[in-house]
Amino acid sequence: MTTVIPLPAPVLLAVMNSEQTFPVRRVYCVGRNYAAHAIEMGHDPTREPPFFFQKNPDNLAQGAEFPYPPLSTDVHHEVELVIALKQGGDAISAADALDCIYGYAVGIDFTRRDLQAQAKASGKPWTAAKAFEHSAPVSQIVPAQAIGHPVNGNIWLKINGETKQQGDLNQMIWKVPEIIAELSKLFTLAAGDVIMTGTPSGVGPVSRGDVVSCGIDGVAALTVTVV
Ligand code: MN
């Protein structure tokens, strides 16, 4: 069987200590999942149902550079725990959710905050604010088989060595199994799906030349230079 146009390149993420790669199907992101970040963005951190948005699979990037995107002058960093699924389904129970996870990574949900503010003000979608080229740098995927399923641990981000974000995974409003359960009520999840689980407080702008380093203790670390 041939295709009428060239096949798009698959999105393949490096896996720690492996020659094999993790193929990406979809990318889901959780909004406002740490109370301190919800407050800093001007929202009530009470436990309302989680909400989701998406990035494109090929927005995931494992290079050393983050190209500053066009049409924004206020691009913010958001360090997040990333989940990589090995299986999925509909209406997965929280009790079964961890069985769906292949591994974890640390990633950055780069956001055109100025475009997001405009979208919020006019009731428009966040696509241009969130799903732009290279908008989601991620570390290698670390298999759960190697590290288990982290429920706490320092999550941090520094710019040029100065701490900007610091939190703990145990501050997530919706925990990893609950995120999978909620998401699978809305969408059929499957192997290759990647979920970004929200950011702790301290988000802020990056500039060209900045060295942005981040990590989750016990999971992974990542460094990108803004170019
Ligand atoms: Mn985010």
Side-chain angles (χ1 to χ4, degrees):
M1 186 81 129
T2 60
T3 54
V4 296
I5 58 168
L7 274 179
V11 177
L12 303 171
L13 298 179
V15 175
M16 186 186 72
N17 295 333
S18 178
E19 302 280 297
Q20 295 183 296
T21 56
F22 180 90
V24 179
R25 191 182 82 115
R26 295 179 183 169
V27 182
Y28 292 102
C29 306
V30 185
R32 285 173 220 146
N33 200 28
Y34 289 74
H37 173 62
I39 291 167
E40 77 178 347
M41 297 302 290
H43 299 284
D44 180 348
T46 50
R47 191 173 144 107
E48 291 174 355
F51 71 93
F52 304 100
F53 59 92
Q54 284 181 274
K55 293 191 185 243
N56 300 297
D58 67 348
N59 297 155
L60 295 171
Q62 289 185 314
E65 295 184 337
F66 167 66
Y68 201 97
L71 298 177
S72 177
T73 57
D74 194 26
V75 174
H76 279 204
H77 53 78
E78 299 187 356
V79 61
E80 311 204 355
L81 174 71
V82 177
I83 309 168
L85 298 189
K86 66 180 179 185
Q87 63 187 58
D90 293 300
I92 299 163
S93 72
D96 292 335
L98 294 182
D99 294 337
C100 296
I101 297 175
Y102 173 75
Y104 296 89
V106 63
I108 306 174
D109 167 17
F110 274 116
T111 303
R112 285 164 162 152
R113 195 71 75 204
D114 41 5
L115 298 195
Q116 186 190 36
Q118 291 169 20
K120 285 179 179 176
S122 56
K124 289 175 180 163
W126 290 6
T127 310
K130 290 290 193 179
F132 55 90
E133 310 312 322
H134 310 282
S135 60
V138 286
S139 70
Q140 289 188 325
I141 305 289
V142 181
Q145 223 167 33
I147 59 164
H149 296 281
V151 293
N152 52 41
N154 190 22
I155 176 169
W156 55 272
L157 181 142
K158 297 178 183 184
I159 298 180
N160 304 322
E162 185 184 334
T163 297
K164 298 292 185 181
Q165 291 189 263
Q166 184 136 42
D168 194 287
L169 295 182
N170 65 19
Q171 296 164 342
M172 294 201 309
I173 297 169
W174 292 86
K175 310 300 183 191
V176 166
E178 296 171 326
I179 291 168
I180 292 170
E182 292 295 315
L183 200 50
S184 70
K185 292 178 186 173
L186 290 162
F187 307 103
T188 302
L189 300 180
D193 289 349
V194 167
I195 306 168
M196 303 187 77
T197 59
T199 195
S201 61
V203 301
V206 298
S207 303
R208 287 185 182 83
D210 282 346
V211 176
V212 181
S213 56
C214 61
I216 300 169
D217 294 354
V219 179
L222 169 70
T223 298
V224 293
T225 300
V226 183
V227 299

